[in-house]
Amino acid sequence: MIYREIDLNDWIPAGAGGTATSYNHKNNQELMLKLFNAGVTHDGYAEKEYNLSRKVESLGLRTPHAVELVKVDGCTGVIYQRIVNKKSVSRICADDPDNIDKYARLFALECKELHCHICNPSDFPSRKEQTLKSVAVHKGYTRHTRKVISAIINRLEDKNTCLHGDMQPGNLIIAGDTPYWIDLGFFSWGSPMFDIACMYFFCKHPVGLLWGTRLCHMTRRQMRRFWRSFAAAYSANPDELTRKAKENIIAFVAYTFDLESYEGLTAAVFNAYLNTACLFRA
């Protein structure tokens, strides 16, 4: 696909995340730029997210319209429709912690709605296949680690359910009363437990909370509170949902950490982490 070269001087920094920095256009309030951080994302990441965003929009899910692919000094990015006067659920909760329960329930309902959508397997990748392939080629795993992770992933049901892939409260924004999903680079299909495990990791797991508090601007106690209200709204049996999420946390971690190098986490270190953090049992 064609990337248009643009001048970053035409844009004003608006925020930074784990994979990208966002900018608002100086003269056109209807446009925002998501510029991916070099060294964190792989070649083709911007194109992948652009294509996925277009396809997700065609499903009827609310997401900012992807306008075009661009380049800035070798870095790739996507220009999106700018949603004016929006806030992420995580930022709302951080600014108004008394209403964490309210917005955790809202987030849960939006997640349930997303998980009611059926994906065409020919339009979106299978998260199970992606993860199994990632584990198979990961040079940092021992044979035992590879075997155990694959067994956990294989026992998850095969469903054509739409998955966000990075389902955490920073990736749902609200403008007025209208919610929009953002950051769709991991959008795929499969068992909803892939998404639920993602939420559990950032809200409850001791290691995941290191990232969760940074990404979501909330304290550890607030993230745990968010999970409790989320689980109660998402499932009629929140304790069972929590148990399953804890059992399947590796289904999220293995794929995501293999794709992106968070703070220099190498394959060898990740392998040691898996074997000492009691994420799973043989």
Side-chain angles (χ1 to χ4, degrees):
M1 298 184 73
I2 298 175
Y3 289 78
R4 182 170 67 90
E5 194 76 33
I6 63 172
D7 187 346
L8 199 57
N9 290 323
D10 294 331
W11 301 82
I12 303 171
T19 60
T21 303
S22 61
Y23 300 81
N24 295 329
H25 198 279
K26 285 182 177 179
N27 304 314
N28 188 342
Q29 67 172 359
E30 296 182 354
L31 298 177
M32 64 86 64
L33 165 66
K34 183 177 181 180
L35 191 64
F36 293 100
N37 301 330
V40 175
T41 56
H42 58 77
D43 291 342
Y45 196 98
E47 183 174 335
K48 174 188 172 186
E49 179 167 315
Y50 172 87
N51 289 331
L52 285 172
S53 295
R54 287 290 189 98
K55 290 178 180 178
V56 169
E57 189 178 11
S58 72
L59 291 174
L61 290 165
R62 290 181 298 271
T63 186
H65 177 66
V67 178
E68 64 176 332
L69 289 163
V70 295
K71 276 189 175 182
V72 180
D73 298 329
C75 292
T76 58
V78 181
I79 292 179
Y80 283 99
Q81 165 200 9
R82 181 184 172 194
I83 307 300
V84 182
N85 296 326
K86 51 81 177 172
K87 262 190 175 184
S88 68
V89 169
S90 61
R91 180 61 73 179
I92 292 172
C93 291
D95 293 344
D96 185 13
D98 289 342
N99 279 313
I100 284 177
D101 300 314
K102 170 186 174 180
Y103 284 98
R105 290 192 292 268
L106 182 151
F107 184 75
L109 294 178
E110 289 300 316
C111 292
K112 289 180 72 172
E113 180 184 343
L114 187 154
H115 292 156
C116 285
H117 280 72
I118 302 300
C119 280
N120 185 339
S122 63
D123 288 336
F124 298 93
S126 161
R127 176 46 59 92
K128 178 180 280 190
E129 290 180 5
Q130 286 179 318
T131 310
L132 288 172
K133 181 179 178 180
S134 174
V135 171
V137 301
H138 201 303
K139 296 180 180 179
Y141 293 148
T142 63
R143 182 183 299 177
H144 173 72
T145 298
R146 187 175 289 111
K147 180 179 178 180
V148 174
I149 296 175
S150 297
I152 292 173
I153 295 164
N154 273 317
R155 74 185 181 209
L156 289 171
E157 59 188 337
D158 292 307
K159 297 183 68 175
N160 288 0
T161 300
C162 286
L163 304 176
H164 183 279
D166 188 13
M167 200 182 79
Q168 46 93 354
N171 284 336
L172 185 73
I173 61 174
I174 299 176
D177 294 324
T178 306
Y180 298 83
W181 286 108
I182 61 171
D183 289 353
L184 301 173
F186 291 138
F187 200 92
S188 53
W189 60 269
S191 167
M193 190 49 61
F194 284 104
D195 272 353
I196 301 300
C198 171
M199 268 292 294
Y200 182 88
F201 178 71
F202 286 122
C203 290
K204 292 279 288 182
H205 191 274
V207 175
L209 276 168
L210 296 175
W211 282 274
T213 53
R214 184 185 67 181
L215 291 172
C216 299
H217 320 291
M218 288 185 270
T219 67
R220 294 188 178 202
R221 178 176 294 182
Q222 289 168 344
M223 291 295 288
R224 295 188 184 102
R225 176 181 165 189
F226 191 98
W227 169 264
R228 288 194 298 271
S229 294
F230 166 86
Y234 186 94
S235 173
N237 191 338
D239 290 339
E240 179 68 6
L241 185 75
T242 298
R243 183 187 67 78
K244 289 183 177 180
K246 186 175 183 179
E247 285 183 355
N248 292 288
I249 195 171
I250 192 60
F252 165 73
V253 176
Y255 180 67
T256 306
F257 276 74
D258 182 51
L259 281 182
E260 300 183 61
S261 178
Y262 286 101
E263 300 180 1
L265 198 65
T266 65
V269 173
F270 185 32
N271 187 67
Y273 163 68
L274 290 174
N275 283 292
T276 59
C278 297
L279 286 178
F280 55 80
R281 298 293 183 185

